[in-house]
Amino acid sequence: MVPSPSSTHPPEVDADAVAAAAARLVGAAGSGVPCAPVRDLIGADDLPGAYAVQAAVTAHRLRAGARVVGRKIGLTSPAVQAQLGVDRPDFGVLFDDMAYLGGDTVPIGKVMQPRVEAEIAFMLGADLAEGPLDHAQVRAAIAWGAAALEVCGSRIAGWDIRFADTVADNASAGAYVIGPRRLSLDAFSPVEQRMSMTIGGDEVATGNGAACLGDPVAAVVWLARTARDLGDPLRAGQLVLSGALGPMRPVAEGDVVVARLSGLGAVQVRFGKGERA
């Protein structure tokens, strides 16, 4: 569980504002109706406040029976950082009900305002709680990598987000799809992956491993250190979505999305009929 705001964040975080922002996002998720941005409550650049809201929303999900299975890293692309006026990535929580396998059909109503991006997913085979948490240690802790599609979603109407909005909204996490080919880091190089993503057979995005903070493993290093600093280190058995290898694209009912990575093969998902689970 992400630590509670009271245990993680400094006294200047406005507890009433955090509670109001969390209630707004929880209400949107429950009703399926997107809400107004929360930056009017916590400030557009209030990093502690935003993570406090995320923690409150996470606590709500856990009380409702959800289980944390990993983390996702967002804002790894320089272009997206420039768009939002930030110079750092963010992270969110992956829950058990977000997980799909390659070839599955995701109900279009599962994720609000869905957009898809291609990534590399890493499974951790060891805890990342002690030591320098440098590239060598993080690399050694990764059991395997796989091609993945992240289905990003926003509870905020029209994706009208700034940094604090997306952090508070669990880094715009929605669902994810893991491809069938899973390789150790001895068998492929994350930074050298070339990616092509198609929707309905038309190529809509290309990219490579270097687009993700210069190296997807470097993104996991950042996450491991940040998670430990917040008192909730990464653990063996958790999945990490390391960040987009190329642009994010919107999807609609009936779309078939395929991402092909040069060393990890293809991962596919179809968006079908259906409402929120």
Side-chain angles (χ1 to χ4, degrees):
M1 175 180 172
V2 175
S4 66
S6 61
S7 65
T8 310
H9 298 290
E12 62 265 21
V13 170
D14 185 328
D16 291 339
V18 166
R24 184 179 293 179
L25 292 167
V26 168
S31 68
V33 178
C35 63
V38 298
R39 58 183 178 270
D40 64 316
L41 297 170
I42 60 172
D45 301 309
D46 183 354
L47 185 63
Y51 277 113
V53 175
Q54 184 187 121
V57 175
T58 296
H60 172 84
R61 294 268 354 246
L62 294 176
R63 289 193 296 271
R67 182 170 57 87
V68 173
V69 296
R71 311 284 178 86
K72 63 148 290 183
I73 309 171
L75 301 179
T76 55
S77 161
V80 175
Q81 289 184 357
Q83 182 182 17
L84 294 181
V86 301
D87 61 357
R88 73 190 82 182
D90 69 350
F91 75 86
V93 175
L94 299 177
F95 296 103
D96 54 340
D97 63 355
M98 294 179 173
Y100 291 86
L101 295 176
D104 282 352
T105 296
V106 174
I108 193 63
K110 170 74 175 180
V111 179
M112 295 174 69
Q113 306 179 102
R115 298 180 178 183
V116 176
E117 59 189 26
E119 307 195 7
I120 299 173
F122 294 114
M123 175 58 68
L124 297 180
D127 290 352
L128 289 171
E130 306 292 340
L133 301 185
D134 56 13
H135 191 280
Q137 181 182 355
V138 168
R139 181 181 173 88
I142 293 172
W144 52 258
L149 290 165
E150 182 181 359
V151 188
C152 302
S154 183
R155 271 57 62 176
I156 295 169
W159 280 86
D160 178 14
I161 60 173
R162 300 295 183 270
F163 188 54
D165 296 306
T166 186
V167 170
D169 190 23
N170 197 27
S172 303
Y176 63 90
V177 185
I178 305 297
R181 190 176 190 190
R182 301 173 184 187
L183 300 177
S184 73
L185 293 188
D186 292 332
F188 82 104
S189 170
V191 73
E192 294 178 356
Q193 293 302 292
R194 299 182 306 278
M195 179 277 294
S196 171
M197 186 172 75
T198 62
I199 299 179
D202 296 326
E203 187 174 70
V204 296
T206 60
N208 54 57
C212 178
L213 285 187
D215 180 348
V217 175
V220 184
V221 170
W222 172 85
L223 176 63
R225 292 173 175 175
T226 302
R228 183 174 67 178
D229 289 347
L230 290 173
D232 189 21
L234 300 178
R235 298 295 184 185
Q238 291 186 332
L239 187 80
V240 175
L241 296 181
S242 58
L245 304 183
M248 179 171 58
R249 300 301 186 202
V251 288
E253 182 181 325
D255 283 343
V256 176
V257 182
V258 181
R260 294 177 175 85
L261 276 65
S262 55
L264 289 169
V267 55
Q268 175 178 311
V269 67
R270 179 181 182 275
F271 291 89
K273 295 181 182 293
E275 299 302 321
R276 293 171 295 120

